[in-house]
Amino acid sequence: MKYIRKKRNLENYIVRNIPKSILIKDSEGKTVIDVDNPKYYYGTIPEFKIDKEGNFLLNTFGQKIKNTIDINLYLTQKVDDMGIFTDKPYIPKDTLLTDKPQNFNSFSYGRLAGAPVEFYYTPPNSVSGYTDDSLLKQVKSYRKDVNGQDVYVPNLNTSSNPSELYNGVISEDTEKTVYKINANVNNINNTGIKYTTYKNKFTTKKDDFGLNQTHKTTTFSVNNSGWNQYNTSLSATTKKEEYLGIVFKPEIDSAVFINRGIADIFERHALLSEIKTTNDIDTNRGGFIRI
Amino acid sequence: MATGNYGTIRPADVSVEDIEMFYSYTPNRESLIDVELFPLNPAEVLVPANNPNNVTEIFGGLYTLKLPTATFGTKGFYNIIIRPKQIRTKIQDCSVLVDNQDVKGIVFDLNQIPSDLQNRFENGNLVGYRVEYLKEQAGTGQDKIQNLFRIITSNNRALPITQNQGNSNASVSYTFNDNSTSIFCTVSPSSAPSIKPNATPFIGNPQQDVIITNTFFDPVMLEIEMVEFDDETLAYALFSNQTKSLEDGIYTIYNFGNQIYRQYNLYEVKDQFTGKPLFEVREQKFTIDPTKDFDEITDF
């Protein structure tokens, strides 16, 4: 529960106006306030709103308007993490739909009883944009031309895993080099990311330090396979109560001290051999190895 | 496996019909009297702001509290509690679904619900509501079972079905039927954890009194301190217009609108025998002299 403190000055609501209509002469001829006059509100907070003459203000229905002390506040609703859902086996509806509803959109439509998984497939689409030419060197040949410039040979696979992936040039001319990265060697045209680096066009952008960086203008395009039989399945999801609010799988973090003996003259070198990243420097601190 | 909704804080767009309010008053912080709460009608004192681009759409989050001066016009401390509306009813039954015997739930009788609240019990409308339980034996001290609540995860109209269990035993379970006036609610937690399969959580007993509360917004408590003076009123004494009537010794302080804010009588106390002045006195005057209107005095 939120706790909010506010302060209001009652003086802002107290009537300090004295209408002329409530002034009378007393027995000595002095002008005084007729405190019995119903329009006399000086020094009080009236229950209903009044004008300067002490008359009630009325709303559009002719009703008196309650005098109120107005305070703005902001109400919020806190929603907790629901956590991880679990797939649950289910018995599908016997009679499957054959025709997809008009304008069916799986993302907005959600689950549709009797809809086969094919209803949720989406056609392939393409993503394209601009990037730098940093990947061009991955597809160059080891050879140089007579001028000492890099040579780009079409169909030369420079991948470190050439039996499965293709990194290499598709075509090369005086204007541009077209190449693919991480394409399937059996389907180079329809897989991987296609880059086109223009030889005589340049793009300049500012780096994180505000310095100009110039590179050859490069475009990329990739054909997304969409949702298909390889990445889509239908399943009921259920919420196990014991996992309510648990968003991540449990991670066990324990510190173990492994003492391989100080007599071992190779101990320090052995420890160093386990440090492969800068994070390892922290986890191997002082002989402790964090698992 | 899929990940559910991520936690967030959203502006509440709760209707004032789903809110209940209480207030208490104490003249000062040192008061030793027990806190006495009085109800307030949210429909009268709480106004949601509308979206300026669409006046028929609630803006969300922003509400204006309109406190009637007849109730809140006294110097002191007012504590106002704004919390989700509570619905009190009785559990009609605790049972399972005919087709899913492992789905346990509690059943409410729609006829026991006040008519203006019955629409909350239509199919799916109670999801997210909190159920709190009262003790089945009243008069044992605290009537409420403290620190125990369950969350409603589904609600549907359901019809009781008697099933023969053999040996002359019969049990009642429920099947969904939109023409029924019984409301079958599943609550969470209601299933045993996998590490202790027999430890089924308590979800209530038939005829037990419960409190059902929505969770449309987080409760708020406001402490409103009503004061007589602030920087503005103290500035009247320093910077606003003042007059001193030499004829009758009335000293008048005006507010910044030249209305009479305070009046004082100025006089001297003298020794009755020697006439020697003893004191100069400034005494507040409670019967206001209206002839000391600033605009009239300075209109020459």
Side-chain angles (χ1 to χ4, degrees):
Chain A
M1 175 181 280
K2 282 192 294 185
Y3 183 70
I4 302 169
R5 292 180 66 184
K6 302 272 187 183
K7 189 180 279 190
R8 284 291 182 274
N9 187 2
L10 293 171
E11 179 62 28
N12 295 328
Y13 307 92
I14 291 175
V15 174
R16 294 293 178 197
N17 189 55
I18 305 171
K20 295 281 185 284
S21 61
I22 66 167
L23 300 182
I24 56 173
K25 299 281 186 185
D26 66 2
S27 57
E28 297 173 1
K30 288 178 62 178
T31 301
V32 295
I33 298 172
D34 178 10
V35 294
D36 296 324
N37 192 308
K39 293 182 180 178
Y40 171 70
Y41 291 103
Y42 183 86
T44 64
I45 303 176
E47 185 178 353
F48 297 97
K49 291 185 186 297
I50 58 169
D51 62 13
K52 284 194 170 182
E53 293 303 315
N55 300 311
F56 290 118
L57 296 174
L58 303 177
N59 63 16
T60 52
F61 302 106
Q63 298 165 326
K64 290 185 282 189
I65 303 169
K66 270 196 175 177
N67 200 10
T68 57
I69 299 169
D70 293 357
I71 296 171
N72 285 338
L73 73 153
Y74 202 73
L75 298 180
T76 57
Q77 182 186 30
K78 187 171 182 295
V79 183
D80 284 337
D81 285 333
M82 283 197 67
I84 298 169
F85 284 88
T86 308
D87 288 347
K88 181 182 175 68
Y90 73 107
I91 302 169
K93 191 175 179 182
D94 289 341
T95 311
L96 293 178
L97 298 176
T98 53
D99 296 323
K100 191 187 284 190
Q102 203 170 15
N103 299 324
F104 178 80
N105 182 328
S106 58
F107 293 102
S108 58
Y109 220 97
R111 291 295 297 273
L112 175 64
V117 67
E118 292 81 15
F119 278 23
Y120 296 88
Y121 292 169
T122 57
N125 60 353
S126 179
V127 177
S128 60
Y130 283 87
T131 183
D132 60 26
D133 59 357
S134 60
L135 292 173
L136 181 61
K137 59 179 180 288
Q138 284 195 22
V139 296
K140 70 180 181 183
S141 166
Y142 287 136
R143 291 189 293 117
K144 302 277 185 184
D145 66 9
V146 292
N147 299 318
Q149 299 296 312
D150 292 331
V151 173
Y152 299 95
V153 180
N155 302 323
L156 174 64
N157 190 352
T158 62
S159 167
S160 58
N161 184 13
S163 61
E164 294 183 6
L165 296 176
Y166 176 81
N167 292 349
V169 176
I170 303 294
S171 64
E172 160 88 350
D173 57 29
T174 56
E175 184 191 355
K176 61 185 183 300
T177 305
V178 181
Y179 50 104
K180 282 253 178 170
I181 299 291
N182 285 345
N184 187 325
V185 289
N186 298 317
N187 188 9
I188 295 174
N189 283 336
N190 296 318
T191 58
I193 304 174
K194 178 183 174 186
Y195 294 89
T196 303
T197 297
Y198 294 89
K199 294 180 176 176
N200 300 314
K201 291 182 183 175
F202 297 90
T203 300
T204 301
K205 66 171 185 177
K206 288 192 184 304
D207 65 10
D208 294 341
F209 303 102
L211 301 175
N212 285 336
Q213 297 286 342
T214 302
H215 54 76
K216 290 177 181 171
T217 300
T218 304
T219 62
F220 71 88
S221 67
V222 58
N223 291 324
N224 189 322
S225 61
W227 297 110
N228 54 36
Q229 68 270 29
Y230 301 113
N231 56 20
T232 308
S233 65
L234 282 183
S235 175
T237 55
T238 183
K239 184 92 216 137
K240 286 192 175 178
E241 286 174 332
E242 56 195 283
Y243 296 145
L244 264 177
I246 297 174
V247 178
F248 300 105
K249 286 185 174 180
E251 292 180 3
I252 299 169
D253 192 350
S254 60
V256 179
F257 186 76
I258 300 176
N259 187 353
R260 285 182 283 212
I262 56 172
D264 186 350
I265 60 171
F266 296 108
E267 169 62 13
R268 290 176 184 276
H269 303 288
L271 275 175
L272 277 175
S273 70
E274 291 165 2
I275 298 175
K276 296 180 178 63
T277 66
T278 51
N279 284 339
D280 292 345
I281 297 171
D282 287 333
T283 53
N284 285 281
R285 185 159 303 196
F288 276 100
I289 296 175
R290 192 173 289 280
I291 300 171
Chain B
M1 186 182 74
T3 305
N5 293 341
Y6 284 105
T8 186
I9 295 177
R10 61 183 290 272
D13 45 15
V14 59
S15 162
V16 291
E17 284 81 29
D18 287 315
I19 295 174
E20 64 182 23
M21 297 174 62
F22 299 89
Y23 79 94
S24 68
Y25 169 77
T26 177
N28 53 57
R29 290 193 189 281
E30 293 74 34
S31 177
L32 296 176
I33 57 174
D34 291 338
V35 175
E36 189 176 4
L37 289 169
F38 304 96
L40 279 172
N41 185 355
E44 293 178 357
V45 299
L46 198 61
V47 180
N50 288 327
N51 190 329
N53 297 320
N54 184 0
V55 293
T56 56
E57 174 191 317
I58 186 170
F59 183 74
L62 184 61
Y63 291 74
T64 301
L65 201 55
K66 289 184 169 294
L67 303 175
T69 54
T71 309
F72 292 87
T74 307
K75 180 188 169 190
F77 296 86
Y78 293 90
N79 284 307
I80 299 174
I81 293 170
I82 305 173
R83 68 178 191 179
K85 192 184 189 84
Q86 294 187 344
I87 303 170
R88 288 169 183 268
T89 187
K90 199 182 281 288
I91 295 177
Q92 187 186 35
D93 196 5
C94 296
S95 186
V96 296
L97 291 175
V98 172
D99 295 328
N100 294 81
Q101 296 282 326
D102 58 339
V103 176
K104 289 184 279 293
I106 53 180
V107 179
F108 298 118
D109 181 2
L110 194 60
N111 295 322
Q112 297 283 326
I113 308 298
S115 57
D116 59 323
L117 299 174
Q118 287 183 355
N119 62 341
R120 273 83 162 172
F121 286 72
E122 291 301 334
N123 292 351
N125 285 2
L126 281 179
V127 174
Y129 275 60
R130 184 177 67 236
V131 181
E132 293 167 301
Y133 301 86
L134 298 180
K135 289 178 181 170
E136 293 174 85
Q137 288 182 328
T140 56
Q142 173 61 256
D143 282 346
K144 191 176 179 187
I145 301 177
Q146 293 168 284
N147 308 313
L148 177 68
F149 68 91
R150 298 286 179 256
I151 301 293
I152 295 177
T153 52
S154 74
N155 75 292
N156 289 279
R157 289 175 181 254
L159 200 63
I161 303 288
T162 303
Q163 290 187 308
N164 188 5
Q165 301 290 307
N167 300 325
S168 303
N169 291 323
S171 67
V172 174
S173 52
Y174 286 78
T175 185
F176 293 150
N177 184 321
D178 286 347
N179 295 319
S180 172
T181 56
S182 293
I183 312 295
F184 186 91
C185 302
T186 56
V187 296
S188 177
S190 62
S191 62
S194 54
I195 55 170
K196 203 173 182 184
N198 294 327
T200 306
F202 171 82
I203 62 170
N205 286 320
Q207 302 308 310
Q208 185 168 16
D209 290 317
V210 292
I211 303 168
I212 304 172
T213 314
N214 72 64
T215 52
F216 298 155
F217 69 102
D218 298 328
V220 173
M221 177 164 159
L222 284 102
E223 182 198 86
I224 302 170
E225 183 181 1
M226 298 295 182
V227 297
E228 288 180 323
F229 305 102
D230 63 4
D231 298 348
E232 175 95 355
T233 54
L234 294 177
Y236 295 163
L238 286 172
F239 307 117
S240 70
N241 294 324
Q242 300 175 359
T243 59
K244 184 159 53 174
S245 173
L246 298 178
E247 184 185 354
D248 51 19
I250 295 177
Y251 171 51
T252 305
I253 298 174
Y254 304 89
N255 62 22
F256 291 133
N258 282 339
Q259 296 167 324
I260 296 172
Y261 175 58
R262 290 281 191 278
Q263 276 190 337
Y264 299 90
N265 286 319
L266 300 178
Y267 57 90
E268 285 186 346
V269 177
K270 295 181 180 178
D271 187 295
Q272 62 177 323
F273 302 110
T274 64
K276 181 184 174 185
L278 297 176
F279 297 99
E280 284 185 345
V281 178
R282 190 184 84 165
E283 187 177 37
Q284 185 168 355
K285 185 172 166 30
F286 293 100
T287 303
I288 297 298
D289 182 349
T291 63
K292 302 300 183 287
D293 184 89
F294 186 82
D295 292 334
E296 287 188 2
I297 291 173
T298 56
D299 184 21
F300 47 81

